[in-house]
Amino acid sequence: MAATTIIDCDPGNDDAIALLLALASPEIAVAAITVVAGNVGLDHTSRNARAVAELAGHPVPVHDGAVKPLLRPAPDASHIHGDTGLKGATLPPPSRAPAPGSAADHLRAVLRAAPRRSVTICALGPLTNLALALAIEPGIADGIARIVLMGGAIGLGNTTPAAEFNILADPHAAAIVFAAGAPIVMVPIDLTHQAIATAPRIAAIRAVGTAPARLAADLMAGYPPRAKFGFAGGPVHDACAVAYLVRPELMSGRDCRVTIDV
Ligand code: BDR
Ligand code: CA
């Protein structure tokens, strides 16, 4: 049976592609989406998550979360993801409002009621929502089967030489999450920089012909390669964390101790 999964995200082109993949995968039971300010502001990440879930035909509840990191100012990656957060795509506005209850409150309620190590958290943005939930109620860590998160770097970062965007956006939140005691699978940019949206891959996805496939292709085409890395397309970071949940044999890793430099 697919593990109950909550996706915490900040869509964002690659978050949206990750949501499409998760919502199309029977291996993952997406019970809710929680959203955080990250690539763009919370008004956009919330709207985008609701619109993408509706287009995917799985209008799971979307809970609004933190409008800013714990201590740092609100991040902004609109130079990559566009002003709306979904560069290159036009989506009908969502018909649903955000679900009642904040992201942190929803995470606490679900995890408090869950059997030990039963809920998967797939985190694709700054870790503010999860940190807030864990700071208020640390015992909820017991309900987490694992946190599969896109973030961090083993080598160079992508936002500064030392830091990746999601961790740099809210390092204090990341420090709380990494110290919480729940099992963590970290999908860093060293991995996601191998998942490049090249023109032939975008064409193959577009040729599927469905509305989610067309949206994924538009989002990949709208997510330009960054000159400083010299890639032939944009890295589809967040979809890699979802891909790990669907097909873990695609990836390998090792156990490491991680502390966050704040
Ligand atoms: C991460 O930063 C964001 O811009 C992407 O959505 C992804 O989660 C990659 O560093
Ligand atoms: Ca993201």
Side-chain angles (χ1 to χ4, degrees), residues 23-231:
L23 294 169
S25 299
E27 296 85 352
I28 308 174
V30 182
I33 297 168
T34 54
V35 289
V36 65
N39 288 316
V40 287
L42 189 80
D43 49 346
H44 286 302
T45 61
S46 173
R47 179 192 179 282
N48 293 344
R50 284 177 280 131
V52 169
E54 282 186 26
L55 182 128
H58 296 280
V60 296
V62 175
H63 296 265
D64 284 359
V67 297
K68 67 175 289 296
L70 296 183
L71 296 180
R72 287 178 60 105
D76 175 27
S78 58
H79 56 295
I80 294 172
H81 299 265
D83 290 341
T84 66
L86 297 182
K87 193 172 181 183
T90 312
L91 273 175
S95 64
R96 298 170 311 144
S102 73
D105 284 349
H106 184 70
L107 286 162
R108 287 170 56 213
V110 169
L111 293 171
R112 189 189 309 125
R116 184 174 163 76
R117 299 270 174 262
S118 64
V119 177
T120 298
I121 308 290
C122 182
L124 309 175
L127 293 165
T128 321
N129 289 336
L130 195 48
L132 285 167
L134 288 163
I136 295 168
E137 200 170 341
I140 60 170
D142 288 351
I144 300 175
R146 56 187 177 168
I147 301 165
V148 176
L149 66 89
M150 190 282 128
I154 295 170
L156 289 173
N158 60 355
T159 307
T160 72
E164 178 278 334
F165 178 85
N166 287 339
I167 303 297
L168 182 67
D170 198 342
H172 306 93
I176 290 172
V177 170
F178 274 82
I184 294 178
V185 176
M186 177 178 136
V187 177
I189 56 169
D190 315 79
L191 185 151
T192 66
H193 280 182
Q194 300 170 61
I196 302 300
T198 59
R201 288 172 178 162
I202 294 171
I205 291 169
R206 192 179 297 285
V208 173
T210 60
R214 280 194 298 274
L215 175 60
D218 287 346
L219 290 165
M220 287 185 194
Y223 188 63
R226 293 170 76 186
K228 69 178 175 182
F229 294 114
F231 298 141

Side-chain angles (χ1 to χ4, degrees), residues 8-12 14-15 39 81 123-126 150 165-166 237-238:
D8 186 62
C9 58
D10 61 332
D14 60 321
D15 301 76
N39 288 316
H81 299 265
L124 309 175
M150 190 282 128
F165 178 85
N166 287 339
H237 304 283
D238 291 337

